[in-house]
Amino acid sequence: MDVAFSRSQFPAIQRNDGSFAFMDNAGGSAVLQSVAERVSDYLLNTNVQLGASYPTSQVSTNLVREGAVAGARFINASSPDEVVLGSSTTQLFENLARSMEEHMVEGDEIIISETDHEANCGSWARMCKRRNLVLKVWKCEGADQALVLESLEAMLTPKTRLVCVTHCSNIVGTVNNVKEIAKLVHSIPGAEICVDGVAYASHKIVDVQELDVDYYCFSWYKVYGPHIAQLYTAKRTFPRLGSINHYFLSPDMRPYVMQPGNLNYELSASLPAIVAYIGDLGRAPADRLGVEGQKKVRADDGATREELERGFQAMAAQEHKLVDKFLSYLASKPAVYTTIGQKVASEARAATISFTVANFKSQDFITKLDGYGIGARFGHFYAHRLVCGSLGLSDDGVVRVSMVHYNTVEEVEKLIAAMDEILGA
């Protein structure tokens, strides 16, 4: 992958190039210049209410609509009507729970995964409490903290209505086989699957039709964009999702009935730039749109599916180098580091790596890393049920290093050298 081109698209990365290694990407990535400029352009030139007949409003309406089109193309949804935009994944899951709960009856069963961020747990736990439903927890197993399909199968009953699982844990870093999980869930009549893709979507391509999921959510601010999130609701689920918007709106007004208070106009209008950027990573240098092209592109023209696939393949190849180098380092000091999740680089391992350090509190270790110009973090990262449950840790949690494709081998070497110095101090 052309890492230099990638880094050139992010002002924050350019500004700190060589002086600071940003390795907290699972908490929020750097933002593309083209995204920021599209947000600015919308606010300065077309910031009016949607749906009016005058020209500026028509332009504004089309720009915001383009955001939903880009969102649909990004995950290969069949229609922008299946794309709900909102403030965060946590909020969108809460909205989804409120929308579906009228169709739940006492005794229905919901299954959540222990490895999930609380966004994909709390909403369902609260719904179970309100509606007297049964909440089950799919526990992780083994030294790699894996979710075992056979264990889920044993939990399913004719009363199972929803299984909630992460595509990739923001702590463990393992990519779960969502397609196989969905197939198993759908073997139960009336059961649906809800997937949290927040820790996955910045690393690998999403295809909701291929996965055959009912619901899929992620946050764009972790995929090189602004603080906005996206929820996919398959068309087949529409009859089971009640409106959470104004009473006088037709239930057929999708996705508006799932967007109370509407969406953020300027952030929605910026999304085509992200699709175009990832498309650029899959194009020859002469064919790239660059910042200027990404700023102006329509969602339909930003990238073909093939270009997105090539872009994500390039990203994965770069990330594999980083993960392999860092996991090899951690494995070389087994008395010092305890790695959470898979211990070797593979296609089922994202570049989100959590570990603990012998004789160090996670907070103290991170504080020392700060002095070396490395941005990482400590804590439970809202996967409280896992970190403070099966892992048996306190809120001090783990040290987490989370990388993406614009990180470099040299930055990993800088991180390793810093960690060795801290251990030797």
Side-chain angles (χ1 to χ4, degrees), residues 109-113 128 134-138 154-157 160:
E109 297 174 357
I110 309 293
I111 298 174
I112 61 174
S113 147
C128 286
V134 177
L135 182 68
K136 297 180 177 180
V137 180
W138 183 11
M155 300 174 71
L156 298 173
T157 77
T160 303

Side-chain angles (χ1 to χ4, degrees), residues 48 107 215 296-297 330 377 398:
V48 298
Y215 311 104
K296 301 171 185 176
V297 74
L330 294 178
R377 290 189 75 171
V398 298

Side-chain angles (χ1 to χ4, degrees), residues 145-375:
Q145 294 80 37
L147 292 175
V148 179
L149 200 60
E150 289 76 15
S151 297
L152 173 62
E153 186 174 16
M155 300 174 71
L156 298 173
T157 77
K159 290 187 175 183
T160 303
R161 291 293 169 265
L162 187 69
V163 174
C164 307
V165 65
T166 181
H167 204 159
C168 176
S169 166
N170 72 331
I171 295 289
V172 179
T174 300
V175 176
N176 292 312
N177 191 337
V178 168
K179 184 175 180 178
E180 287 302 309
I181 296 171
K183 182 179 179 181
L184 177 60
V185 171
H186 289 150
S187 70
I188 304 297
E192 296 179 325
I193 181 171
C194 178
V195 180
D196 181 345
V198 171
Y200 180 90
S202 61
H203 303 287
K204 300 175 184 291
I205 198 164
V206 178
D207 188 333
V208 292
Q209 295 188 69
E210 172 68 17
L211 295 172
D212 194 28
V213 293
D214 301 291
Y215 311 104
Y216 194 102
C217 197
F218 69 94
S219 297
W220 282 104
Y221 74 94
K222 302 185 182 185
V223 193
Y224 324 114
H227 209 295
I228 189 172
Q230 172 175 319
L231 169 68
Y232 163 77
T233 60
K235 280 186 177 179
R236 61 177 178 262
T237 70
F238 288 178
R240 299 186 291 279
L241 298 179
S243 173
I244 55 172
N245 212 326
H246 303 304
Y247 76 92
F248 52 82
L249 296 175
S250 167
D252 296 327
M253 294 180 68
R254 301 281 173 176
Y256 190 35
V257 293
M258 295 286 289
Q259 293 174 166
N262 216 328
L263 41 69
N264 183 295
Y265 297 166
E266 64 270 19
L267 303 188
S268 302
S270 74
L271 300 183
I274 304 170
V275 176
Y277 163 73
I278 296 174
D280 271 354
L281 299 181
R283 287 188 272 261
D287 297 326
R288 291 172 183 156
L289 300 177
V291 173
E292 291 303 313
Q294 295 163 21
K295 282 165 51 179
K296 301 171 185 176
V297 74
R298 294 185 66 252
D300 285 335
D301 302 326
T304 65
R305 192 68 186 171
E306 291 73 23
E307 287 169 337
L308 284 176
E309 288 172 351
R310 290 198 299 270
F312 273 107
Q313 287 166 1
M315 293 160 68
Q318 172 66 9
E319 291 178 12
H320 183 87
K321 298 176 188 176
L322 309 178
V323 172
D324 184 54
K325 190 171 190 67
F326 190 55
L327 284 179
S328 295
Y329 165 73
L330 294 178
S332 73
K333 300 180 183 295
V336 179
Y337 302 118
T338 300
T339 304
I340 311 302
Q342 295 182 8
K343 312 303 188 284
V344 296
S346 72
E347 289 187 3
R349 218 318 176 179
T352 300
I353 301 171
S354 302
F355 56 96
T356 57
V357 187
N359 302 316
F360 277 91
K361 289 185 176 180
S362 295
Q363 181 177 8
D364 293 341
F365 196 79
I366 284 294
T367 300
K368 290 182 180 295
L369 272 180
D370 289 342
Y372 290 86
I374 295 166

Side-chain angles (χ1 to χ4, degrees), residues 42 45-63 265:
Y42 183 93
N45 297 296
T46 58
N47 189 33
V48 298
Q49 188 55 274
L50 309 185
S53 57
Y54 56 90
T56 304
S57 179
Q58 292 294 299
V59 171
S60 181
T61 301
N62 289 333
L63 287 171
Y265 297 166

